[in-house]
Amino acid sequence: MNKKNKIPFKTPEGYFDSFEDKLMDKLSKTESTIPKDNAFKVPDNYFESFNESLKGKLDNEPKVIPLFPIKKIIAVAASIAAIVLIALGYNWNSSSELNFSDLANADIEAYFENNDFELSPYEIAEVLPVTNTEYSDFLSSPIESDNLLDYLNENVSDFDELNIDYNE
């Protein structure tokens, strides 16, 4: 049998066959099942001592729970004060624009090393202004011969390109 159709309440066999007879027997009796004397009784001297017991209960002060507890008010005030302090401490005049001079040389070199522009040194030289570059800038940090040879070994594939005739 399916659990959904199973009814957990059962009646005894033949209950409804004899139910009507049993009901008529009880109704035909003249005796009532309701008690004839008072079912509800008040204890002795209840109303005489009622006022005193009521006053005893009213003399005790009830516990009062405030609607706005002071701890919550302090917490809210502290959070508002913290927000105000943060707002005043923040530098709102930070609208200064970044310039090229603000960048560190290491950052610029790292940018050019990490990004491939596919530009030859000649194309880069065309873009750089010659007016700002002076010969003394190159001489301020002399190039060591070991560094120069290492650079040429790494970057020059044909050494014949380096043989330039100065016989003009």
Side-chain angles (χ1 to χ4, degrees):
M1 188 179 248
N2 193 359
K3 286 187 176 183
K4 291 182 182 178
N5 295 333
K6 189 175 183 181
I7 299 172
F9 304 108
K10 293 183 180 180
T11 57
E13 299 252 350
Y15 177 76
F16 291 109
D17 296 337
S18 63
F19 176 74
E20 187 175 333
D21 295 332
K22 289 179 185 177
L23 180 64
M24 291 310 241
D25 287 343
K26 285 191 178 186
L27 291 177
S28 64
K29 291 182 182 178
T30 57
E31 294 180 13
S32 174
T33 57
I34 299 173
K36 295 188 179 180
D37 55 341
N38 277 340
F40 304 103
K41 292 185 177 182
V42 178
D44 293 336
N45 297 325
Y46 176 76
F47 291 107
E48 287 90 23
S49 63
F50 177 74
N51 288 337
E52 294 167 6
S53 64
L54 182 62
K55 285 181 184 179
K57 289 180 182 179
L58 291 178
D59 287 341
N60 296 337
E61 290 207 23
K63 182 178 179 182
V64 177
I65 300 172
L67 293 178
F68 299 106
I70 192 73
K71 289 181 182 179
K72 287 185 181 179
I73 293 173
I74 290 173
V76 169
S79 62
I80 290 172
I83 290 171
V84 168
L85 286 175
I86 290 172
L88 292 177
Y90 184 72
N91 186 6
W92 293 101
N93 297 329
S94 62
S95 62
S96 63
E97 296 180 16
L98 292 176
N99 295 327
F100 187 74
S101 61
D102 294 337
L103 296 175
N105 287 337
D107 293 336
I108 296 170
E109 290 173 5
Y111 177 77
F112 281 113
E113 287 176 4
N114 295 333
N115 296 322
D116 186 23
F117 295 109
E118 299 179 359
L119 297 174
S120 68
Y122 295 111
E123 292 172 336
I124 294 172
E126 288 177 0
V127 176
L128 292 176
V130 179
T131 56
N132 294 339
T133 309
E134 295 183 15
Y135 183 67
S136 62
D137 292 339
F138 295 110
L139 293 179
S140 64
S141 59
I143 301 172
E144 295 180 11
S145 62
D146 293 338
N147 292 341
L148 183 60
L149 290 175
D150 289 341
Y151 175 77
L152 290 175
N153 282 335
E154 290 175 5
N155 296 320
V156 176
S157 60
D158 189 12
F159 285 105
D160 291 334
E161 293 177 10
L162 295 176
N163 292 329
I164 301 172
D165 290 331
Y166 289 107
N167 300 333
E168 290 184 10

